[in-house]
Amino acid sequence: MKFETRSIHKGNHITDTNRPVVQPITLSTTFEHENEAGMLYTRAGNPNRLALEELVASLEGGKVAAAFSSGNAAGTAVFQALEPGSHIIAPDDMYHGLHNSMSILFKGIHEVSFVNMADLEAVKKAIRPNTRLFWVETPSNPLLKISDVRKIAEIAQNQKAIFACDNTFATPVFQNPLALGADIVMHSSTKYFGGHSDILGGILVGKEDNEFWAKIRTVQRVGGAVPAAADCYWLSRSIRTLAYRMRGHAQNAMVLAEYFLIHPKVDKVHYPGLKIHPGHEVAAGQMTGFGGVVSFEVKGGKDAADRLIKALHLFVNATSLGGVESIIERRAAVEGPDTLTPPNLIRVSVGLEHSDDLLEDLDQAFSKI
């Protein structure tokens, strides 16, 4: 089955005698012993969560999946599954929530080297004898750097290390890291999977059901950071339209990227769909679309960037991304004093509004700075 068909039909298990078209929400926290599905307690397993995991595993081409209560919980589960004293190589511009998980929660437990993952020589130089995990975000957040998944997979294999890829920005619609050599794919399902800025969640997909995956599953079930049944249901419902939403996001993002590229008040544009992007060729070789996030740097510094954001009407000034509405944010303002993000950089999660309306709103906002 093609992606669109799988997204609608996979994981939709109908066991109700009334034969509803969609799987009902199972809110029970416990189950009678000796039931056919082997359910025991909803932290260990719930029909809606298992359906969501089956669906996302299919879309990413993996054998197994584990859903969590947030994207941070999903990523942190990978770090928890590592043996103490492991060394991690991760992006220097990665999502700050998982950056903090690595550097704060696991301080004294693991070692971390933050490097430019788009620079393969920098990645190789960072390797230590105890390197056990390569973590990639591509496109990265918020600079939209592109890492070569195939080549980093080779480096990880030579090191006999695990290779995990955060695929939140691209989604399986545009990129399949497992097919490119990754061992694990991570998503903040709060973003494009949910698609409407109203569900918190995260999910991991594994290429193989191996010993390391068993540790991740133990973290999920024993740690208990699992999503509620209703959230799993709503995520599965939203994923049914994922392919079509992502095409709209990417189409609008390209329109805005080209607009920013020629705007006299914009200093720099970050979007891998543009041929001037340093990672464009790599992205074109491993992605089928370039996603719905665009970052740009405003001339005049952070004050000009703040004035631009305040003058907008259709763009919501908020954290997060992946919703149907366009969301805009000056990232350095929320990432803290140690951020490497330029202070004048604005990240735009381009929504599904008509692009003409978005451009009109940008025109009037730029005219005021």
Side-chain angles (χ1 to χ4, degrees), residues 297-336:
E297 298 175 38
V298 181
K299 290 181 179 178
K302 66 182 182 66
D303 291 339
D306 286 337
R307 289 196 302 272
L308 175 68
I309 291 173
K310 289 180 180 178
L312 290 163
H313 302 304
L314 294 179
F315 295 77
V316 182
N317 182 14
T319 293
S320 199
L321 55 97
V324 293
E325 65 286 315
S326 291
I327 298 176
I328 197 163
E329 183 177 52
R330 188 170 68 82
R331 283 300 295 168
V334 299
E335 289 181 343

Side-chain angles (χ1 to χ4, degrees), residues 287-299:
M287 303 175 73
T288 57
F290 301 105
V293 178
V294 180
S295 291
F296 66 101
E297 298 175 38
V298 181
K299 290 181 179 178

Side-chain angles (χ1 to χ4, degrees), residues 34-51:
E34 300 178 1
N35 63 80
E36 289 184 12
M39 294 290 169
L40 178 67
Y41 186 65
T42 203
R43 172 169 52 78
N46 173 280
N48 297 107
R49 191 167 86 233
L50 296 181

Side-chain angles (χ1 to χ4, degrees), residues 59-318:
L59 298 182
E60 280 289 7
K63 288 187 177 180
V64 285
F68 293 83
S69 55
S70 70
N72 249 37
T76 297
V78 178
F79 315 147
Q80 287 177 281
L82 291 171
E83 292 296 322
S86 295
H87 176 241
I88 304 168
I89 298 177
D92 57 3
D93 66 329
M94 71 183 294
Y95 169 59
H96 75 288
L98 284 175
H99 181 286
N100 290 342
S101 178
M102 289 181 183
S103 59
I104 298 175
L105 288 184
F106 291 92
K107 184 177 182 180
I109 300 173
H110 298 319
E111 303 168 11
V112 188
S113 295
F114 295 105
V115 303
N116 179 3
M117 300 299 285
D119 183 345
L120 294 175
E121 290 306 311
V123 174
K124 292 175 183 177
K125 289 178 181 178
I127 294 173
R128 302 175 187 174
N130 61 332
T131 299
R132 295 291 176 266
L133 174 67
F134 290 79
W135 186 274
V136 160
E137 217 179 71
T138 184
S140 70
N141 181 12
L143 294 176
L144 294 153
K145 293 180 184 177
I146 299 297
S147 300
D148 192 320
V149 177
R150 293 185 182 90
K151 291 184 178 178
I152 294 178
E154 293 177 4
I155 295 171
Q157 289 167 7
N158 291 336
Q159 181 63 18
K160 296 182 179 179
I162 296 157
F163 177 25
C165 181
D166 184 338
N167 202 32
T168 299
F169 273 29
T171 80
V173 175
F174 292 142
Q175 185 170 257
N176 297 110
L178 298 183
L180 300 171
D183 300 303
I184 294 172
V185 166
M186 175 254 169
H187 286 275
S188 171
S189 47
T190 309
K191 311 303 191 295
Y192 289 110
F193 279 7
H196 295 78
S197 303
D198 56 7
I199 309 170
L200 188 69
I203 196 160
L204 299 172
V205 181
K207 181 186 291 185
E208 302 291 342
D209 189 359
N210 52 24
E211 182 180 354
F212 188 75
W213 185 262
K215 293 180 180 178
I216 288 176
R217 185 67 78 181
T218 297
V219 171
Q220 180 201 36
R221 290 173 175 168
V222 176
V226 294
D231 287 347
C232 293
Y233 169 87
W234 291 117
L235 276 171
S236 295
R237 192 194 74 155
S238 292
I239 289 172
R240 292 179 179 181
T241 61
L242 179 65
Y244 300 96
R245 286 188 286 108
M246 289 308 298
R247 290 168 194 158
H249 286 300
Q251 180 178 335
N252 277 357
M254 180 61 84
V255 171
L256 263 62
E258 292 176 340
Y259 168 88
F260 293 135
L261 188 62
I262 61 174
H263 200 286
K265 294 183 180 180
V266 172
D267 190 44
K268 194 172 184 181
V269 184
H270 306 270
Y271 186 66
L274 296 174
K275 292 184 178 180
I276 63 163
H277 189 285
H280 174 75
E281 289 187 12
V282 174
Q286 65 189 25
M287 303 175 73
T288 57
F290 301 105
V293 178
V294 180
S295 291
F296 66 101
E297 298 175 38
V298 181
K299 290 181 179 178
K302 66 182 182 66
D303 291 339
D306 286 337
R307 289 196 302 272
L308 175 68
I309 291 173
K310 289 180 180 178
L312 290 163
H313 302 304
L314 294 179
F315 295 77
V316 182
N317 182 14

